[in-house]
Amino acid sequence: MRFNFWYSIIALTLMATNSVLARSTPGQGIVTTRVGSSMGAIKDNAFSVAVQPDGKIVVAGASYNGKDSDFAVLRYFPNGSLDTEFGDGGVAIFDSRMGDDKAYAVAIQPVGTILAARTVYNG
C-alpha cells in the first residue's frame, strides 16, 4: 500500500517512538507498503496512526482493489518493517462488497485490542 498524503504523519510517529528507522535513515522516516492493485500506488490512503505500548505502529486507511477501496489496517515494528504476525503478512484487509470501505480512525485499548472505525460508501 502506498500512502500518498501522510508521509509526515508516519515520519513523526516513527520519530516520536525513537525508532531505529527514524534515526538511521538520513533525513527521512518514510515507509511505503503496496497492498492493493497496480493502481493502489495512486489510490491507496492512510487516515490514522496509533502506537501500541510495545512501540508497534498501527495504520488504518484504504487499499484500492482495482474496482473500489477496501478497509485496510497495517502494523509495523518501530523500525518500519511490517509485523508479519499481524493479519496476512502485516496487513488486514476487509471488504464489505457494498462499495468503498475506508478506515478513518484507529485506537489502541489498554488491553492491546486494536479498534478501527470505518465507513462504507455505495453512492
Side-chain angles (χ1 to χ4, degrees):
M1 177 182 280
R2 181 183 167 114
F3 299 106
N4 296 320
F5 67 90
W6 66 282
Y7 288 135
S8 60
I9 294 172
I10 192 71
L12 291 173
T13 302
L14 290 170
M15 287 185 276
T17 60
N18 293 319
S19 75
V20 173
L21 178 67
R23 291 180 303 192
S24 65
T25 306
Q28 298 292 325
I30 297 172
V31 174
T32 302
T33 305
R34 181 184 298 267
V35 174
S37 73
S38 62
M39 291 294 294
I42 60 172
K43 293 193 174 194
D44 288 347
N45 293 289
F47 298 109
S48 186
V49 177
V51 180
Q52 296 181 177
D54 63 2
K56 292 179 183 173
I57 301 162
V58 180
V59 178
S63 175
Y64 187 69
N65 66 22
K67 182 179 72 171
D68 59 19
S69 293
D70 295 333
F71 171 95
V73 178
L74 293 83
R75 188 165 71 183
Y76 297 91
F77 289 108
N79 70 1
S81 63
L82 277 172
D83 177 359
T84 58
E85 292 184 15
F86 176 80
D88 184 13
V91 180
I93 300 289
F94 305 95
D95 185 358
S96 70
R97 303 198 192 288
M98 297 187 316
D100 283 319
D101 303 289
K102 296 181 180 179
Y104 283 106
V106 66
I108 311 299
Q109 290 185 313
V111 295
T113 305
I114 298 169
L115 297 176
R118 73 174 177 140
T119 63
V120 178
Y121 178 76
N122 65 4

